[in-house]
Amino acid sequence: MALYVQKYGGTSVGTIERIEAVADKVKSFHDAGHQMVVAVSAMSGETNRLIGLAKGISETPDPREMDVLVSTGEQVTIALLSMALKKRGINARSYTGWQVGIKTDSSYMKARIEDIDTSSMRAQLDAGGVVIVAGFQGIDDDNNITTLGRGGSDTTGVALAAALKADECQIYTDVDGVYTTDPRVVPAARRMEKVTFEEMLEMASLGSKVLQIRSVEFAGKYKVPLRVLSSFKEGNGTLITMEENSSVENPVISGIAFNRDEAKLTVKGVPDIPGVASRILVPVSEANIEVDMIVQNVSEDGTTDFTFTVNRSEYQKALGLLKTIGEEINAREVTGTDDICKVSMVGVGMRSHAGVASKMFKVLADENINIQAITTSEIKISVVIAEKYLELAVRALHTAFGLDAEATEE
Ligand code: ADP
Ligand code: ASP
Ligand code: MG
């Protein structure tokens, strides 16, 4: 007998029929003698619909009220799933975040889980019942409802599994595992049997939304065995593993991630003297704008061009701020574009292989794709390119690095 925490995403509970199918699946695990805790998302599209309602009132809705609003989607699905399980003769009980004791900090819309009180869940499990928990939500010390950021139900699932010391946390979604890249963009993408935590963390942080990054961080920190599986199709899915070099073929590149939520800003013709980078970036960080990549070029006339990227949602705010800074530091020009994207290659194998970057640049050059910025770390290389080339770039790299499904089946 095992204790499983299963999380079902929005598409998996998107209709009554699908909720019934989830109930059948949970019942089959329960019937096999396992203890079951299930976290669910809102029905697909519901969180976006709720955000749309709020935007109809204000472009910048009050964050506390926003969390009261968007947390309602998950309350609908826990009730419906519990009803479906009761109909099947199972003692299921739904719990909102606060009912189950998910304590978070007070950062509305991006709260972090601090503590989970497992006593009510344990009592329900000991009584032979199934626990159904609303994903994405918690409560702060002052009893305010909080939410965990988009995709946050993954983190609820992993945090519950950590708190309960579950045998496995299973993330059920609309794909049958973690692929070498988003299979919706590259049909030749290949499912991975296993991926290391380190690689999954990079993939998630670089834009692969199959798992919320915090859920991967949590699983790594608390050593939660984590698996991504399909709600619709039988199979083993993908195991996120602590072991390095666990994949049989041990490729240099494990996956390609991309992110369209990017924008680029450039301050041109800045005097090349100490302190310029901080004159530009300190006000940006004080305005709570997160900076991602940074590139600085010195030209022969002794001035420098300073480029950095931010989340696309903060582009206008950053541009406005930068125009003011530009005038203060006598920059020649401030420009920007949100027509860009970031494409990243990830793989622990990069540590022991040279030449990955040069091959990546050659592949992009052969497709006539201009690279606007580059960053690297030990196990990843990211480039900024024009957004219109995203699909072309990802497909070309996927093929060139031998990741296509056909290529590995030979
Ligand atoms: P859920 O609603 O179940 O949480 P998400 O939409 O958040 O599902 O995540 C699943 C989606 O993630 C897939 O439909 C797929 O398009 C996308 N995705 C992005 N990168 C990958 C990847 N490397 N492997 C698998 N899916 C990916
Ligand atoms: N419903 C929330 C969202 O759409 C949380 C989740 O699905 O994980 O972001
Ligand atoms: Mg998700």
Side-chain angles (χ1 to χ4, degrees):
M1 189 181 84
L3 167 54
Y4 290 123
V5 175
Q6 298 187 332
K7 175 262 172 174
Y8 290 90
T11 318
S12 312
V13 294
T15 62
I16 293 300
E17 292 70 35
R18 288 186 170 173
I19 290 175
E20 298 266 18
V22 169
D24 284 336
K25 207 174 193 62
V26 174
K27 180 178 186 307
S28 69
F29 276 84
H30 184 260
D31 289 351
H34 303 304
Q35 292 193 309
M36 300 301 295
V37 174
V38 183
V40 284
S41 290
M43 295 169 87
S44 57
E46 179 62 7
T47 309
N48 286 343
R49 187 185 75 86
L50 294 166
I51 293 171
L53 291 177
K55 296 265 158 147
I57 291 184
S58 160
E59 252 317 298
T60 51
D62 179 79
R64 179 186 183 277
E65 303 314 325
M66 199 63 189
D67 278 357
V68 174
L69 176 72
V70 296
S71 61
T72 60
E74 274 72 11
Q75 190 166 335
V76 171
T77 42
I78 53 171
L80 293 172
L81 180 57
S82 299
M83 289 173 195
L85 280 162
K86 280 184 198 290
K87 189 170 85 177
R88 288 162 174 75
I90 289 179
N91 165 19
R93 197 182 174 97
S94 66
Y95 300 82
T96 61
W98 70 266
Q99 285 176 319
V100 84
I102 299 182
K103 277 277 164 63
T104 71
D105 64 17
S106 303
S107 330
Y108 298 117
M109 296 155 78
K110 48 172 193 264
R112 280 182 184 270
I113 296 179
E114 290 180 336
D115 187 43
I116 299 184
D117 175 1
T118 55
S119 50
S120 51
M121 287 190 282
R122 285 275 179 216
Q124 169 72 355
L125 291 173
D126 290 346
V130 170
V131 173
I132 313 286
V133 181
F136 182 50
Q137 55 176 266
I139 192 162
D140 75 0
D141 283 343
D142 298 320
N143 291 343
N144 297 299
I145 294 173
T146 53
T147 63
L148 309 178
R150 296 308 303 269
S153 300
D154 295 336
T155 303
T156 306
V158 174
L160 290 172
L164 290 161
K165 303 201 170 37
D167 292 282
E168 190 166 271
C169 178
Q170 303 176 336
I171 305 286
Y172 286 91
T173 182
D174 55 5
V175 278
D176 61 348
V178 178
Y179 277 67
T180 45
T181 191
D182 190 338
R184 291 184 205 287
V185 169
V186 181
R190 190 168 43 83
R191 182 177 61 83
M192 296 187 262
E193 278 295 321
K194 291 182 178 180
V195 58
T196 68
F197 268 103
E198 215 184 352
E199 288 169 326
M200 195 63 239
L201 208 54
E202 287 283 7
M203 297 264 290
S205 78
L206 295 168
S208 299
K209 294 188 175 122
V210 60
L211 285 175
Q212 195 200 34
I213 177 159
R214 282 190 186 167
S215 71
V216 188
E217 283 168 1
F218 226 100
K221 189 163 166 198
Y222 295 98
K223 312 247 176 317
V224 178
L226 181 62
R227 194 181 284 280
V228 176
L229 308 118
S230 165
S231 297
F232 309 115
K233 191 170 143 190
E234 289 300 315
N236 293 335
T238 299
L239 183 68
I240 324 296
T241 166
M242 290 287 171
E243 304 159 40
E244 238 183 62
N245 296 337
S246 54
S247 65
V248 195
E249 62 267 42
N250 192 17
V252 180
I253 298 301
S254 296
I256 303 177
F258 52 83
N259 192 356
R260 297 176 203 268
D261 294 336
E262 301 267 336
K264 186 183 77 164
L265 297 123
T266 302
V267 194
K268 287 190 181 154
V270 185
D272 186 25
I273 48 171
V276 164
S278 77
R279 288 281 303 271
I280 297 172
L281 290 182
V282 168
V284 173
S285 85
E286 278 170 354
N288 248 327
I289 300 171
E290 217 174 294
V291 170
D292 181 14
M293 302 165 101
I294 301 172
V295 186
Q296 190 180 359
N297 273 331
V298 181
S299 57
E300 291 194 340
D301 65 0
T303 65
T304 167
D305 291 350
F306 193 88
T307 298
F308 61 95
T309 61
V310 298
N311 191 285
R312 201 175 280 186
S313 63
E314 313 217 270
Y315 172 57
Q316 288 302 339
K317 188 171 154 195
L319 190 61
L321 187 64
L322 216 57
K323 292 219 155 120
T324 317
I325 302 170
E327 277 170 27
E328 284 168 15
I329 60 174
N330 285 326
R332 190 170 66 241
E333 194 186 0
V334 171
T335 60
T337 171
D338 59 357
D339 251 352
I340 58 152
C341 65
K342 181 167 75 176
V343 175
S344 311
M345 298 207 307
V346 175
V348 288
M350 265 188 230
R351 285 202 180 106
S352 47
H353 285 81
V356 176
S358 53
K359 180 167 171 185
M360 180 185 196
F361 304 155
K362 168 106 183 30
V363 171
L364 296 174
D366 287 348
E367 298 292 343
N368 263 322
I369 300 172
N370 187 35
I371 300 172
Q372 304 181 22
I374 304 165
T375 54
T376 63
S377 79
E378 229 190 345
I379 66 159
K380 73 121 205 276
I381 305 172
S382 302
V383 296
V384 166
I385 58 171
E387 191 185 357
K388 64 179 177 197
Y389 295 129
L390 188 142
E391 279 87 359
L392 177 63
V394 177
R395 284 181 196 160
L397 291 168
H398 199 268
T399 306
F401 281 86
L403 297 174
D404 288 359
E406 298 80 20
T408 56
E409 274 161 14
E410 280 169 7

